[in-house]
Amino acid sequence: MSNETKKTEQLIQIYKEDPVLENFKALVHQMRKTVFLVPAMLPDTPEAEELRKIAQENPGQQAQLPKGIAPLPAILKSQKDETFFPIYTSPAQFPKDTKFELVMNMSFKACYAFALDAKLDAKGMALNPFSDNLLFKKEMLEAIQKEDKANEAKKKGVKELKVTPKQFKVMMRQKAEFHDFPFRVFKEGGEFIQKLSDEKEAVVHEIYRNAYQKPELYPYEESDFSVMPLNISEELLLVRVDLPKVKAPAMLCYRIYVTWNPKNNAIHYFTIEKGKEKGERNLGGVSSNGQHIAYGEAPVEGAEIQRILDLVEQEKEQTS
């Protein structure tokens, strides 16, 4: 038994005798330094069967589990039919007359992560359930996990930012307009642009909805978007995408223009953006490598398409 485990067992007894918050915090702090034991069985797979043979030939020896083998920890059920993930400080704490094929060494972080896994559907974790029987309910483990993540962020010099729903909506819209939309345009090329031209608002609505990640915070309907494809010539398809009204004081797009030359597969992604100052409108874009491009002040709405066509023609002359 390691010194860290001995300290953990001592603090377990101290907390049981005097279950105050200070003693609980001391116990959790020590548990973070401790490796726990988790009895388990092997699944019925050919890889596991090979491991069984090795274990039978070398009983009691430590081994690294091969990739692809996921042991099945022994899960306990309380008298209330509630499921708990059991962990033990030493073999002396194991239940008697219980058969298992191996014992896993797991850190406290790995233990509570397993207990919180939705697939397990556990109410929490049980420490030495056949002796000390300290129960860590799911809510308690989530609080410990949150604290650990915050501490890790501090060590990395990263401040934990609290984002309001309004700020989240702006961030996700920026993600859609300056990352997700242009990413699909350049990755899928002409096939996607033709789909955008044919299916119109449904395609744009899907991009924005997927970008938001949280459906309950997604504020738009398909009718909030407007897509107008224009076949300028045999060598140029231009698609104008009008977006929901910009209300937030942030860099968001009023409109997006996508152009595609079917002859040489040249693609452009232009943006009409809200500027920092009141009434400021800028013409920008995103390159094929994801870099933002600034073209300066945007022309009036009626002259936007002509300015876009001029930029496309200029680039065509430079590359020819």
Side-chain angles (χ1 to χ4, degrees):
M1 189 185 300
S2 70
N3 288 330
E4 301 298 350
T5 300
K6 290 178 182 178
K7 290 178 184 178
T8 296
E9 292 198 336
Q10 290 170 358
L11 287 171
I12 290 172
Q13 300 311 314
I14 291 173
Y15 175 69
K16 286 176 65 179
E17 293 172 8
D18 188 13
V20 296
L21 181 60
E22 185 177 345
N23 288 341
F24 175 75
K25 287 183 175 180
L27 172 59
V28 172
H29 178 73
Q30 180 57 35
M31 289 175 71
R32 290 185 171 106
K33 306 176 186 178
T34 306
V35 175
F36 293 91
L37 307 180
V38 180
M41 300 295 287
L42 290 169
D44 292 327
T45 63
E47 296 84 2
E49 191 59 37
E50 184 65 28
L51 187 61
R52 282 191 181 94
K53 292 180 181 179
I54 296 173
Q56 289 172 358
E57 295 171 0
N58 303 277
Q61 290 192 14
Q62 289 191 354
Q64 185 73 31
L65 282 175
K67 290 184 178 180
I69 296 181
L72 309 172
I75 304 301
L76 298 179
K77 280 197 174 183
S78 68
Q79 293 179 347
K80 297 180 180 179
D81 203 33
E82 294 178 331
T83 302
F84 284 88
F85 175 56
I87 63 173
Y88 303 88
T89 52
S90 69
Q93 302 291 342
F94 291 166
K96 295 180 180 179
D97 302 324
T98 300
K99 295 181 179 181
F100 50 87
E101 294 180 303
L102 74 157
V103 177
M104 296 187 293
N105 296 317
M106 297 176 65
S107 67
F108 181 53
K109 183 177 179 180
C111 289
Y112 70 60
F114 193 92
L116 289 173
D117 191 325
K119 296 177 184 177
L120 187 62
D121 193 27
K123 292 294 183 181
M125 189 170 68
L127 173 58
N128 291 340
F130 295 90
S131 55
D132 303 307
N133 196 29
L134 290 186
L135 299 181
F136 291 75
K137 292 293 184 72
K138 190 175 181 179
E139 295 76 15
M140 185 186 298
L141 295 178
E142 288 173 343
I144 292 172
Q145 185 182 55
K146 184 177 180 181
E147 183 180 2
D148 284 350
K149 287 182 177 179
N151 289 333
E152 288 173 5
K154 287 179 181 178
K155 288 179 181 179
K156 295 177 181 178
V158 178
K159 291 184 179 180
E160 191 173 5
L161 298 177
K162 292 184 178 180
V163 179
T164 66
K166 186 176 180 180
Q167 291 171 324
F168 175 83
K169 290 176 182 178
V170 171
M171 290 168 60
M172 294 304 101
R173 178 161 169 170
Q174 288 177 330
K175 177 175 177 288
E177 292 166 4
F178 295 101
H179 180 269
D180 294 10
F181 200 159
F183 178 80
R184 288 197 64 181
V185 166
F186 289 110
K187 182 182 180 182
E188 300 176 37
E191 182 179 348
F192 171 78
I193 298 171
Q194 191 62 60
K195 180 180 179 181
L196 174 64
S197 177
D198 294 338
E199 300 180 20
K200 300 182 175 66
E201 291 81 10
V203 175
V204 183
H205 185 238
E206 178 193 11
I207 293 171
Y208 276 69
R209 188 176 60 237
N210 291 341
Y212 270 70
Q213 300 171 355
K214 296 183 179 180
E216 67 275 13
L217 292 180
Y218 183 62
Y220 305 122
E221 299 291 338
E222 187 175 314
S223 58
D224 292 322
F225 302 91
S226 176
V227 177
M228 182 176 66
L230 296 171
N231 285 296
I232 305 298
S233 68
E234 292 184 356
E235 295 186 358
L236 189 63
L237 168 64
L238 180 146
V239 184
R240 168 176 165 155
V241 181
D242 285 273
L243 303 172
K245 187 176 180 180
V246 175
K247 298 179 181 179
M251 190 177 83
L252 295 171
C253 297
Y254 296 105
R255 267 174 302 286
I256 290 169
Y257 291 93
V258 178
T259 68
W260 173 47
N261 185 336
K263 300 290 185 179
N264 60 13
N265 206 35
I267 296 171
H268 296 85
Y269 183 92
F270 296 100
T271 52
I272 305 297
E273 306 165 3
K274 177 181 175 62
K276 294 180 180 179
E277 304 298 328
K278 186 176 180 180
E280 182 182 352
R281 295 167 67 259
N282 296 317
L283 174 59
V286 178
S287 67
S288 59
N289 60 5
Q291 296 297 311
H292 181 261
I293 305 169
Y295 294 104
E297 184 180 352
V300 296
E301 183 177 344
E304 286 173 359
I305 291 180
Q306 186 56 54
R307 177 74 173 119
I308 299 292
L309 297 178
D310 291 342
L311 288 170
V312 172
E313 186 62 29
Q314 288 174 17
E315 181 176 303
K316 182 179 178 181
E317 291 175 357
Q318 290 172 0
T319 55
S320 61

